[in-house]
Amino acid sequence: MDKIENLLADTYYDIESILLDPNNPRLNVSEEVDENRIAETSIQNKTLRLISGKGNNNLSDLISSFKQHSYIPTEKIIVRYYDQDKAVVIEGNRRLATLTFLKEQFESGEDIGNFDPKIFHSIPVICHKGDNYAIRKVIMGLKHISGSKKWSAINQAKFIENLMRKDSLTEAEICNTYTISKVELRTTLRTLSLIDLYKDSDYGDNFADEKYSTFREIVKSPKIKEWLNLSATDIDFGLAEKSKLARLFSFISPVEVEEIDPEDEDEYVTYIQEPIIETALQIRELAKIIDDEKALSNLETTRNLLQATLSSEVLGKNKLENALSVIDEQINISFGYSFLIDDKQSNLIQSCIKKLNALLVTRNHSDDETSTNPFSKKPIVESCTSHFTSFNIERYKRFKSLHIANLNRVNIFAGINNAGKSTLLEAFYMMTKLGDTQAFQRMNKHRKKHHGELKHSNIFGTLPKEILVSAEFNSEQLSLNSYVDEDFESEIQNMSGFVGRFTSSCNYLGNLYTYHSDYYEKKVQYYASTNYSLCNSVISFSSSIDDEVVFTECYKKSVSNGTKSKVITFIKDNIDHSIVDIELSDNDGTFVVTYDDASLNMDLSLYGDGLQKIFYLGIKFAACSNGVLLLDEIENGIHKDLLCQFTKLIQELADQYNVQVFATSHSKECIDAFISNSFKNEQISAYAIDSDESKVEHFSGEALEELIDYINLDIRGIKQ
């Protein structure tokens, strides 16, 4: 610093004698500037335009300040003497440009506020008396890298790069002079190197200085470097796997999309999609799922980072592993203090043991029968070839000795009111859950329209005394027996507030799966012997609203396997073509309908029942892949003119995702629509229910088509 200070001297210059410096790293003067020509008017004017910006926007703050307070040289302009009476700015280009602007205003008779015009002829500066180029760089760097008036990150980076490449300064010299760390220096250079690779790529035209922090975050991410097949010590991103690097660049770049013009199929329309990743913070989120190819494919399909994150199983597993690692670490620490354990700590340890054991058997003892995620249990049958082919109800509510054969991909149950259609769906659903008493409790709760809290004693009183059901599923026999259990330990019966026990056992593939729920006045204690369900399944009642967790899980799965995009296309084609998407809000778990004009975005709940039903029903297919979807009063909320397209959508999704559908209907128009949409009628079975005699009459899709054509058959009120 002594060397620098000895080369500086206070002096005054006329404004005409000070020239702006086009070699400032913040400026992009394209022509090479010879110092002997630096005073040429064309170069001076070009530099002034670059500094001032359009309409002097870059100087507006200084112009306002100078007009109000005049020129207060708290930080003097630093210049380099280069001729007898001339100097070139080293530091202070913006201030000099502002003074030049005000001088022009003054000479043209315009108002310059409180500014003192005498300053134009006596500008206080610090004059650099030497001509050592490196010293000039030091002065600029001290001001704009480690000083109070820092340049933007990319301008700082370019300055440092120039010090190494053009001025041949060493790392140590730069770090010592500008008080920056070697890690910071090398990260800066690697970031610029990565930016150069981006500029040379197919996406290079999209680079802007604002992207610097995004590239810097990439350089700092060990996970992304590992994904690019770079080691922790690799500093050259040119060694990265080329295809992955190009893929990464595509995430942070806008994409041009070409589609067939819907109004003229012989023409194409082109539009630009915004980058998937737009901020440095989003790079950190990307790093969390970078190893999950399924999530990355989803990211490219939806161009939505939140949706891709929701679809990532790797992220969920990582969170679980991290949680368990913390538990293990804390247990090891606790051993060192084991001599301090008293009754209070002993009770806490016992509580922790119970919770850990519960993790192995799906929360074996739960005090909240409605809190478990309905999709948390792994399906026994993950690849289903035939689903339910027959179903027998020996005892369940109103039904006794009911036999249902010839079950198909899509099964429609029709009948008069109170014929037991919804009860049939319950029986199918319980079989898909292997008789899980917690699932039964949750299902019963959602069928009730009571808005307050029901007493558990009242709930227990509504349970069926016995359920006896059997079926053939995926070519294997399945049986279920659920009942109000009166044979339990006396100490449980004598516990305060105990109401009763509901027990269930299911036999499939030679394995017995057992559950029971103990009902107390203020809680339900739940037990399960298994962490499995029979298959993926969802039941939807017309008179109830699903849990938020059901919608959220269905949404995540629909994003993951592409179902959502098909449903959105259907909504756009048949209801509202201006809708862009329906997305899960990351703030409150609600769904938002989005448009090109964001001011039109609204919560999905504010739309009609038809649009809501189509969206919610559509995403449920994703959660039921290779499983069963049960839909009560399927036509509710759907306009009759849309029934044909709606039923075809159901059949197409069922066919594509291998879902067996059980639907009840009160509508002849809806039943007819399944037939008239002409989509694989051979996959349809229809049933007329006669609950009085516990019988159903079966109609194949082909037979029903003929009967509707010939006699306009209405199966809703058929009696055998």
Side-chain angles (χ1 to χ4, degrees):
M1 287 299 296
D2 290 341
K3 181 179 180 182
I4 296 172
E5 291 171 355
N6 290 336
L7 290 171
L8 303 179
D10 289 337
T11 187
Y12 295 87
Y13 271 90
D14 186 283
I15 195 169
E16 303 296 340
S17 302
I18 308 177
L19 304 177
L20 299 165
D21 182 10
N23 289 315
N24 189 301
R26 290 177 292 176
L27 307 179
N28 294 308
V29 182
S30 59
E31 55 194 295
E32 290 293 327
V33 180
D34 186 328
E35 286 193 359
N36 295 325
R37 296 169 54 245
I38 199 165
E40 291 186 8
T41 303
S42 62
I43 298 175
Q44 181 77 348
N45 289 341
K46 186 172 184 179
T47 306
L48 181 60
R49 288 196 303 271
L50 285 167
I51 294 173
S52 302
K54 187 176 181 181
N56 293 304
N57 285 340
N58 296 343
L59 307 177
S60 60
D61 57 334
L62 287 179
I63 292 171
S64 176
S65 175
F66 285 5
K67 282 185 176 182
Q68 184 174 357
H69 305 292
S70 193
Y71 183 75
I72 304 174
T74 53
E75 295 183 10
K76 292 182 180 179
I77 297 172
I78 302 176
V79 300
R80 176 178 62 85
Y81 168 82
Y82 88 98
D83 202 351
Q84 184 175 2
D85 57 352
K86 295 193 176 189
V88 179
V89 170
I90 297 175
E91 167 52 37
N93 275 297
R94 271 205 333 134
R95 279 169 283 166
L96 183 61
T98 303
L99 292 171
T100 302
F101 169 77
L102 290 174
K103 183 174 182 293
E104 292 173 354
Q105 281 199 321
F106 176 72
E107 290 174 346
S108 63
E110 296 184 45
D111 179 31
I112 59 172
N114 297 323
F115 190 86
D116 183 358
K118 293 179 182 179
I119 294 173
F120 297 136
H121 306 290
S122 184
I123 301 174
V125 300
I126 296 177
C127 183
H128 176 258
K129 296 180 291 185
D131 56 3
N132 186 313
Y133 178 74
I135 294 296
R136 284 187 280 134
K137 285 291 186 77
V138 169
I139 294 171
M140 295 172 68
L142 289 173
K143 180 72 175 176
H144 296 295
I145 293 180
S146 54
S148 59
K149 299 290 184 181
K150 288 184 170 60
W151 287 326
S152 66
I154 190 167
N155 285 327
Q156 291 186 47
K158 288 177 179 177
F159 182 84
I160 291 172
E161 184 181 46
N162 284 335
L163 290 177
M164 295 197 73
R165 293 185 178 179
K166 293 184 178 180
D167 304 328
S168 301
L169 269 66
T170 66
E171 286 186 346
E173 288 173 329
I174 295 172
C175 292
N176 291 335
T177 301
Y178 302 111
T179 61
I180 61 175
S181 69
K182 188 172 290 187
V183 171
E184 172 68 19
L185 173 65
R186 291 180 177 178
T187 300
T188 297
L189 297 176
R190 291 167 191 168
T191 302
L192 291 175
S193 176
L194 179 60
I195 288 173
D196 288 339
L197 290 172
Y198 180 78
K199 289 180 177 179
D200 290 337
S201 74
D202 293 343
Y203 307 97
D205 293 342
N206 298 300
F207 180 75
D209 288 354
E210 295 76 26
K211 287 183 177 286
Y212 177 82
S213 59
T214 299
F215 286 94
R216 184 178 176 86
E217 199 65 40
I218 292 172
V219 168
K220 292 166 57 181
S221 172
K223 292 286 290 182
I224 292 181
K225 287 186 66 177
E226 182 181 350
W227 179 73
L228 291 169
N229 291 332
L230 292 170
S231 69
T233 57
D234 282 333
I235 62 173
D236 185 3
F237 276 79
L239 301 175
E241 187 175 321
K242 297 295 185 292
S243 60
K244 287 187 174 181
L245 189 62
R247 194 178 186 189
L248 178 62
F249 287 163
S250 74
F251 294 158
I252 60 177
S253 306
V255 175
E256 187 177 279
V257 178
E258 188 177 69
E259 292 184 350
I260 296 175
D261 189 340
E263 297 180 0
D264 186 352
E265 294 186 358
D266 294 329
E267 298 293 332
Y268 285 86
V269 291
T270 302
Y271 62 94
I272 302 297
Q273 289 184 328
E274 293 300 313
I276 299 170
I277 305 295
E278 298 185 281
T279 67
L281 287 176
Q282 288 178 318
I283 290 294
R284 299 183 186 181
E285 293 302 309
L286 175 66
K288 295 177 182 178
I289 63 170
I290 199 71
D291 292 328
D292 189 341
E293 178 56 37
K294 186 177 179 181
L296 289 186
S297 297
N298 179 276
L299 181 66
E300 292 168 319
T301 301
T302 65
R303 301 189 67 79
N304 186 300
L305 183 59
L306 173 61
Q307 295 185 16
T309 302
L310 288 173
S311 71
S312 176
E313 293 181 2
V314 171
L315 183 59
K317 290 179 180 178
N318 288 341
K319 288 183 178 180
L320 176 61
E321 289 179 3
N322 290 338
L324 294 176
S325 295
V326 170
I327 292 172
D328 183 60
E329 179 183 351
Q330 295 302 314
I331 288 175
N332 289 334
I333 293 174
S334 299
F335 275 114
Y337 299 94
S338 59
F339 61 92
L340 296 174
I341 294 175
D342 57 20
D343 289 345
K344 180 180 179 180
Q345 281 78 43
S346 179
N347 291 334
L348 180 59
I349 292 171
Q350 292 297 327
S351 175
C352 291
I353 291 172
K354 290 180 180 179
K355 290 178 181 178
L356 290 171
N357 285 331
L359 283 176
L360 302 177
V361 194
T362 314
R363 298 180 67 190
N364 283 352
H365 292 85
S366 169
D367 287 337
D368 182 359
E369 74 280 1
T370 62
S371 63
T372 298
N373 184 334
F375 304 104
S376 63
K377 295 194 174 183
K378 184 177 178 63
I380 297 172
V381 181
E382 294 186 280
S383 180
C384 195
T385 57
S386 58
H387 294 88
F388 286 107
T389 51
S390 65
F391 201 84
N392 303 288
I393 301 178
E394 292 301 319
R395 281 186 293 280
Y396 184 53
K397 293 188 175 179
R398 67 170 60 240
F399 291 111
K400 293 179 175 59
S401 302
L402 177 69
H403 177 67
I404 306 172
N406 304 304
L407 292 170
N408 213 326
R409 167 81 67 196
V410 175
N411 304 276
I412 307 165
F413 294 95
I416 62 175
N417 286 333
N418 206 35
K421 300 184 295 297
S422 301
T423 299
L424 275 180
L425 297 188
E426 290 181 10
F428 279 107
Y429 183 68
M430 284 303 296
M431 289 293 261
T432 66
K433 298 302 181 184
L434 299 174
D436 187 344
T437 55
Q438 190 175 46
F440 188 84
Q441 171 74 3
R442 187 166 48 243
M443 178 182 67
N444 269 356
K445 178 181 178 181
H446 286 292
R447 282 209 66 182
K448 296 181 182 297
K449 296 183 180 180
H450 184 79
H451 297 293
E453 289 294 325
L454 289 172
K455 291 184 178 180
H456 290 298
S457 58
N458 293 338
I459 296 173
F460 184 78
T462 65
L463 297 176
K465 298 302 180 183
E466 186 173 19
I467 302 173
L468 208 56
V469 184
S470 62
E472 183 177 69
F473 185 85
N474 206 32
S475 302
E476 299 289 343
Q477 293 300 310
L478 172 71
S479 63
L480 168 67
N481 183 17
S482 303
Y483 52 95
V484 173
D485 191 357
E486 297 179 354
D487 183 18
F488 40 74
E489 298 86 346
S490 58
E491 62 268 19
I492 295 178
Q493 186 174 6
N494 293 329
M495 288 183 66
S496 176
F498 180 76
V499 175
R501 170 177 291 179
F502 188 62
T503 296
S504 188
S505 62
C506 190
N507 195 307
Y508 185 65
L509 295 174
N511 296 312
L512 188 65
Y513 305 94
T514 60
Y515 310 83
H516 72 249
S517 294
D518 289 336
Y519 285 75
Y520 298 82
E521 286 292 346
K522 296 184 179 181
K523 66 178 181 178
V524 177
Q525 199 83 359
Y526 168 74
Y527 173 83
S529 70
T530 179
N531 194 31
Y532 288 96
S533 61
L534 177 65
C535 63
N536 295 318
S537 65
V538 172
I539 188 168
S540 180
F541 293 107
S542 62
S543 60
S544 67
I545 299 174
D546 291 302
D547 273 338
E548 180 180 307
V549 69
V550 173
F551 285 144
T552 302
E553 289 296 322
C554 289
Y555 180 83
K556 289 195 293 186
K557 293 177 185 295
S558 74
V559 168
S560 175
N561 67 12
T563 314
K564 194 194 81 164
S565 63
K566 294 179 175 62
V567 177
I568 297 300
T569 298
F570 179 87
I571 290 172
K572 292 170 68 173
D573 290 345
N574 295 280
I575 298 179
D576 186 346
H577 68 275
S578 61
I579 288 175
V580 172
D581 203 353
I582 300 176
E583 300 177 343
L584 179 65
S585 169
D586 54 1
N587 295 322
D588 55 8
T590 59
F591 293 96
V592 179
V593 181
T594 63
Y595 294 84
D596 286 327
D597 181 355
S599 66
L600 300 176
N601 295 355
M602 286 198 302
D603 191 285
L604 179 59
S605 64
L606 300 177
Y607 287 78
D609 290 344
L611 191 150
Q612 291 187 57
K613 179 159 189 169
I614 290 169
F615 176 73
Y616 288 136
L617 187 150
I619 65 174
K620 286 174 182 176
F621 273 94
C624 297
S625 179
N626 288 303
V628 173
L629 180 58
L630 304 115
L631 306 168
D632 190 32
E633 297 183 14
I634 191 171
E635 73 281 356
N636 278 7
I638 307 299
H639 192 277
K640 62 182 181 62
D641 292 341
L642 192 58
L643 285 173
C644 197
Q645 299 95 308
F646 173 65
T647 54
K648 186 176 181 180
L649 173 68
I650 290 172
Q651 290 180 256
E652 288 175 340
L653 292 174
D655 190 62
Q656 181 174 358
Y657 296 106
N658 192 27
V659 177
Q660 187 174 32
V661 176
F662 295 92
T664 71
S665 178
H666 287 292
S667 167
K668 173 174 168 53
E669 291 83 2
C670 180
I671 297 168
D672 291 354
F674 273 103
I675 301 301
S676 60
N677 69 39
S678 301
F679 183 88
K680 299 186 179 181
N681 284 349
E682 70 278 6
Q683 292 187 354
I684 296 176
S685 283
Y687 299 87
I689 302 175
D690 182 355
S691 61
D692 292 338
E693 299 183 22
S694 284
K695 293 181 180 179
V696 296
E697 184 171 354
H698 167 255
F699 299 88
S700 67
E702 298 94 329
L704 189 57
E705 179 181 10
E706 292 180 359
L707 289 168
I708 290 173
D709 285 343
Y710 293 157
I711 62 173
N712 195 25
L713 178 70
D714 184 351
I715 67 171
R716 294 175 298 168
I718 288 180
K719 285 272 191 177
Q720 289 188 314

